[in-house]
Amino acid sequence: MTTPEREPIGVIGTGYVGLVTAAGFAELGSEVWCIDIDADKIERLRRGEIPIYEPGLAELVEKHRGRLHFSTDIADALEHARLLFVAVGTPPTYSGDADLSAVNAVVASMPPSDRHALVMKSTVPVGTGRSIKRIFSEQGKEGFRYVSCPEFLKEGSAIADFLNPDRVVVGDDGDWAGDAVVELYRPLDAPLVRTDIASAEMVKLAANAFLATKISFINEIANVCEVTGSNVIEVAKGIGLDDRIGPKFLQAGVGFGGSCFPKDVNALKQLAGNSGYHFQLLNAVIEVNELQKRRVIGKLEKHLGTLVGKTVTLLGLAFKPNTDDMREATSLVLSARLQAAGATVRAYDPVAEEEARHMMPGIAFADGALDAAEGADAVVLVTEWDEFKTLDWADVAGAMQGTLLIDGRNALDADAVRAAGLTYEGIGV
Ligand SMILES: NC(=O)c1ccc[n+]([C@@H]2O[C@H](COP(=O)([O-])OP(=O)(O)OC[C@H]3O[C@@H](n4cnc5c(N)ncnc54)[C@H](O)[C@@H]3O)[C@@H](O)[C@H]2O)c1
């Protein structure tokens, strides 16, 4: 797959997206200069330590140590590469708009140049490219090119997503920089959508908004299934086989979280509002998701009565399996609500505990699922890690004080759970 004369690149921001992008392009043969302002992170990366959990990433970084160069100095990337991929964070502000301060800091640090281009991988509001080009022009840096190249990788399968993308979207002004980005991705043989910058920016926001809508939709169907005696798993199968709908993102559960969906959906809603359009559908998508996280409390109260003095175990804390990312995880809302309702919360996650410790005060962390279930009145599966699917439910039942198991992701074998003497409650089943 590699060719000897691949374009060297710079990657600014070595978080989930930056590091995967860097390792992925190194796999395709590029020398990559990885820049981050976090000196500690860069030091760890130089030592070969990977600061995040992402399957396959450590191996790929190790495989290409000779091609991956880590630095805190942007000048290193500018010296060696024409294309500077920007993968800094764009977290939500209090207003719900994207916080572009890290992006703006990168833009401000660029020197006048006719030889370089910024390639935006960070998820930014529509219009960001236009305003960055205006800033470049006001500062006498009009020679600096700009390309929007939104990222669609999924944490947990990010390497595979990078190497085998559903599509590559490149938004540009039809100049050398866009051509060079297209060329970089060519070996992946993915469908290419080459378009203008604003449309590329909108593709990313619209894709996440659509996926979030699908999740909130099936969660509402699940809630109606609960009151009408139907089973959302069967319903999802029945509608998902329609190829206009498709089976993905039709798994009912306790709501979506993560670093992207909540912030990007909100950012699109705010972007529309700022532009004078009231995006009603997204309001509902967001509200349904917030309520969905809290419905677990109602289910617990239905079986246990008051939660005061009860012990509830959360299995899985990360926002989804195969990551340690805790950003906007449903477990954060659940643990806070449970504690507010007077419950004691025990928890276990195979990899996210270190992240979770900073964010979940007052929680007792356990070393394994069985340990976490010890003395619990109820166990709630929050994140469907594989290891929970193969638990010995008789052992779990033996460790618990009560008998209630809430399967917040409809991921468990309900019959096996019931056979162990536990009361099984899923979402919409
Ligand atoms: N995480 C995902 O699954 C995902 C998927 C698609 C798109 N995105 C988008 O990609 C962007 C990055 O997301 P992430 O999850 O990788 O974020 P992250 O927080 O994991 O990483 C961001 C990195 O940027 C660094 N940084 C901040 N300011 C910097 C600066 N001025 N110069 C150099 N480095 C700087 C930070 O130290 C950090 O290491 C966001 O806009 C996000 O919405 C994320």
Side-chain angles (χ1 to χ4, degrees), residues 12-18 35-38 41 87-90 102 105-106 121-123 151-153 155 204 259-260 263-264 327:
I12 307 174
T14 57
Y16 284 88
V17 169
I35 311 297
D36 206 289
I37 46 168
D38 183 339
K41 189 179 268 190
V88 299
T90 49
V106 171
K121 282 239 150 267
S122 297
T123 304
E151 182 53 58
F152 302 97
L153 63 76
E155 289 178 20
K204 174 65 192 175
S259 64
C260 290
K263 92 169 163 64
D264 293 349
R327 288 177 282 186

Side-chain angles (χ1 to χ4, degrees), residues 216-240:
S216 279
F217 175 80
I218 200 66
N219 282 338
E220 290 225 275
I221 294 290
N223 299 342
V224 180
C225 282
E226 286 182 4
V227 289
T228 55
S230 31
N231 181 326
V232 75
I233 296 176
E234 298 302 315
V235 174
K237 201 187 296 168
I239 63 176

Side-chain angles (χ1 to χ4, degrees), residues 18 107 265 290 395 402:
V107 171
V265 173
E290 284 313 310
D395 290 347

